Amino acid sequence: MIDFNRRIIAPSILAADWSRLADEVRRAEASGADWLHLDVMDGHFVDNISFGPSFVSQIRPHTSLPLDVHLMLEHPDHYVPRFVAAGANHITVHVEADHDPAATLKQIREAGCRPGLALSPDTDFQKVVPYLAEIDILLVMTVRPGFGGQPFMEKETMPHVANAKRLREEHGLAFHIEVDGGIDSSTVHVAAKHGANVMVAGTSLFGAPDMGAAIATQRQTRM
Ligand code: DX5
Ligand code: ZN
């Protein structure tokens, strides 16, 4: 049984100094991170380009943390095998992308990874409902995907978190509710209050003077 009251902190490597990648990965782990969040962007699904499977495989030997790979790709199904081979533990795909989500989620699970499904702030929550029994993670984007450092969209996205929590309880399901974008020491409590238990944070953790202290603050339960 997963304890959804235990908060999981997942620093997003997007905000790290990539010229010192291995040090940054070790810094996150030594600071108390639970998962490492990796944002993959293709320049089509989102208006930005980040990194691909070889970057993920270069991170893999430097940490034992689960690699939580968030694919912001137009054709995620095509790339899943390469991220599996690169050492991903969780692979999250967007419901809005051009694929059959049920088939892609199955492909991820059969490859031995945990499947996640993401929805953007403007997406109708009903779009993810048919897949909730098939996933280990629901990623509720709390900014429009593509860039770090944007403000948390509370009004648009907290209903998604609350709906997910309600349906999980009503149907006895067991997926993590992960939030991503604009998470810091104050918004983390808003997300937790609505039912999120996995907190992705880039700017507020890699940019903090003391990442260990920032993670400890974001982990504190205050609802
Ligand atoms: C945005 C990414 C996020 C991003 C969050 O598209 O999915 O994971 O790194 O960055 P911050 O915490 O800076 O908002
Ligand atoms: Zn992300």
Side-chain angles (χ1 to χ4, degrees):
M1 220 18 209
I2 307 168
D3 178 6
F4 294 115
N5 290 316
R6 189 187 151 255
R7 211 175 282 179
I8 291 170
I9 308 295
S12 168
I13 214 78
L14 195 65
D17 176 352
W18 297 356
S19 70
R20 304 168 38 250
L21 186 58
D23 289 345
E24 290 285 75
V25 168
R26 286 192 286 262
R27 179 161 75 105
E29 184 160 0
S31 299
D34 298 291
W35 299 355
L36 204 60
H37 186 80
L38 304 180
D39 288 304
V40 180
M41 306 181 185
D42 66 353
H44 293 277
F45 184 74
V46 290
D47 186 23
N48 199 4
I49 299 174
S50 59
F51 50 76
S54 69
F55 189 94
V56 176
S57 67
Q58 290 189 42
I59 287 177
R60 184 69 284 177
H62 298 290
T63 183
S64 56
L65 295 177
L67 298 183
D68 183 49
V69 175
H70 174 194
L71 298 183
M72 285 162 272
L73 305 179
E74 194 60 47
H75 299 290
D77 48 331
H78 181 72
Y79 293 97
V80 160
R82 295 187 224 181
F83 287 98
V84 173
N89 299 93
H90 314 154
I91 299 181
T92 294
V93 295
H94 270 262
V95 71
E96 306 90 357
D98 185 7
H99 65 133
D100 172 357
T104 309
L105 295 166
K106 186 159 176 276
Q107 176 190 17
I108 294 166
R109 195 180 292 285
E110 286 177 352
C113 291
R114 294 189 174 281
L117 189 64
L119 85 159
S120 295
D122 303 317
T123 299
D124 183 349
F125 186 81
Q126 290 306 317
K127 288 250 174 16
V128 302
V129 170
Y131 311 106
L132 294 179
E134 318 302 329
I135 58 177
D136 289 357
I137 302 164
L138 182 74
L139 174 52
V140 175
M141 288 303 303
T142 42
V143 298
R144 293 196 179 89
F147 297 89
Q150 305 181 72
F152 182 71
M153 296 170 65
E154 175 173 352
K155 181 168 57 64
E156 295 86 344
T157 67
M158 289 303 101
H160 293 169
V161 172
N163 281 333
K165 183 174 189 241
R166 180 177 52 79
L167 288 176
R168 187 176 67 193
E169 281 164 13
E170 279 176 15
H171 298 282
L173 300 173
F175 52 86
H176 293 281
I177 302 175
E178 179 173 32
V179 285
D180 183 7
I183 298 295
D184 60 23
S185 58
S186 58
T187 57
V188 71
H189 298 293
V190 177
K193 189 178 71 191
H194 286 86
N197 67 299
V198 182
M199 312 300 181
V200 175
T203 308
S204 70
L205 294 182
F206 281 99
D210 178 343
M211 193 193 286
I215 288 178
T217 302
Q218 293 193 18
R219 198 191 293 289
Q220 274 165 29
T221 307
R222 171 154 51 84
M223 301 218 201

